[in-house]
Amino acid sequence: MEGLTINEAARTTGWSPRMLRYVEQTGLVSPARSPAGYRLYGPAQLQRLRTLKELLGRFELGLSDVAFAARMAVRPDLRDAVEGWLETEARRPEDVAPGDWLRFEQEKHEKLLAVA
Amino acid sequence: MEGLTINEAARTTGWSPRMLRYVEQTGLVSPARSPAGYRLYGPAQLQRLRTLKELLGRFELGLSDVAFAARMAVRPDLRDAVEGWLETEARRPEDVAPGDWLRFEQEKHEKLLAVA
DNA sequence: AGAACCTTGACAATGTCGTGGTAAGGTTGT
DNA sequence: ACAACCTTACCACGACATTGTCAAGGTTCT
């Protein structure tokens, strides 16, 4: 029995057993399994669970937010598309010649979405 | 009346008027206003609305996902904390000496969360 | 002035998220 | 064998996300 079982892990991380299963379901922290199927949390998982809790509390995030970030981290096409869309938001008309900036935006969006 | 009113914008973008108000509420696309308070969508907003629709459909995203990405784009502390947490996920024990890697993770998380 | 817009606000239906339970059944340590 | 675990699979509830629709009232165009 290499590692803590779910109730032990719950006690040392502050999550409930129920939530540990839910966190696993989101794909954010997945423990190993014993031959009989018991969840076995190692030091790495325990640490990740604690810091995850910190992260969520500090910024008022939901698990789904972090799960979405994870999805972006693993899929460059997603990330590029989202960040590309967001980049145009900050851009101001003053940055570009009066007649050009709209066409610029348009082509940029088209390119980004076409590639993705 | 510089720009399209909400129903006109709805027709050319594929969003419903109701959803255009909702999108505005999420902060993702905010039209200008006429002196009387009418929403006026310019070419830039229309383009952003169309590409936003594309983006959501192509990757099965919700507005809240993109809103969260926008929040990260605007707050480096949030972004760094989330990405820092995620980075450890990909890392394998083999990358580091057997006794060191856990301490390494631990310190990394502590630093990241302390700074944020 | 009257039709055809626009505004905000509210109520409603459906769906997902975050959590907690509970039940039926397998595993483990003494 | 028996207590104390564990597993999966459900039901449930409140909060939020996504849409629609309707009402009361202001604006615009002809």
Side-chain angles (χ1 to χ4, degrees):
Chain A
M1 59 302 269
E2 184 72 14
L4 305 196
T5 61
I6 196 170
N7 270 284
E8 298 167 335
R11 268 191 294 277
T12 56
T13 61
W15 293 91
S16 68
R18 176 67 173 83
M19 283 309 292
L20 289 186
R21 299 197 181 93
Y22 184 65
V23 169
E24 180 179 6
Q25 192 183 300
T26 68
L28 292 177
V29 179
S30 302
R33 294 296 186 117
S34 81
Y38 282 24
R39 270 165 266 252
L40 296 178
Y41 292 86
Q45 278 82 48
L46 296 173
Q47 195 54 31
R48 281 178 67 63
L49 286 169
R50 294 193 196 99
T51 52
L52 178 57
K53 206 175 181 45
E54 268 293 290
L55 182 63
L56 298 186
R58 191 183 296 280
F59 295 100
E60 298 265 350
L61 306 183
L63 287 171
S64 46
D65 292 322
V66 183
F68 173 61
R71 206 176 146 205
M72 277 199 293
V74 155
R75 305 201 41 194
D77 54 339
L78 208 203
R79 180 186 202 103
D80 291 348
V82 172
E83 301 210 326
W85 189 87
L86 288 172
E87 265 173 40
T88 48
E89 180 157 46
R91 200 165 305 283
R92 290 261 163 284
E94 297 86 38
D95 295 352
V96 189
D100 280 335
W101 82 280
L102 176 62
R103 192 161 39 70
F104 170 79
E105 299 278 11
Q106 195 161 336
E107 285 166 1
K108 178 175 186 180
H109 281 309
E110 277 160 7
K111 253 182 300 182
L112 281 167
L113 288 169
V115 172
Chain B
M1 62 296 272
E2 184 68 18
L4 305 196
T5 61
I6 196 170
N7 271 285
E8 297 167 336
R11 268 189 293 277
T12 56
T13 61
W15 293 93
S16 66
R18 176 66 171 84
M19 283 310 293
L20 289 185
R21 299 196 181 94
Y22 185 64
V23 169
E24 180 179 6
Q25 192 183 300
T26 67
L28 291 177
V29 179
S30 302
R33 295 296 187 117
S34 79
Y38 281 25
R39 269 165 268 253
L40 296 177
Y41 292 86
Q45 278 83 48
L46 297 173
Q47 195 55 31
R48 281 178 67 63
L49 285 170
R50 293 192 198 100
T51 52
L52 179 57
K53 204 175 183 43
E54 268 293 290
L55 183 64
L56 298 186
R58 191 182 296 279
F59 295 98
E60 296 266 349
L61 306 182
L63 288 171
S64 44
D65 292 321
V66 183
F68 173 61
R71 205 177 145 206
M72 277 200 293
V74 154
R75 303 203 39 195
D77 55 339
L78 208 203
R79 181 188 200 99
D80 291 348
V82 172
E83 301 211 326
W85 189 88
L86 288 173
E87 266 175 40
T88 49
E89 181 157 46
R91 200 167 304 284
R92 291 260 163 284
E94 299 85 39
D95 295 352
V96 188
D100 279 336
W101 83 279
L102 177 62
R103 193 161 38 70
F104 169 80
E105 299 278 10
Q106 194 161 337
E107 285 165 0
K108 177 176 185 180
H109 280 310
E110 277 160 4
K111 256 183 299 185
L112 281 166
L113 289 169
V115 172

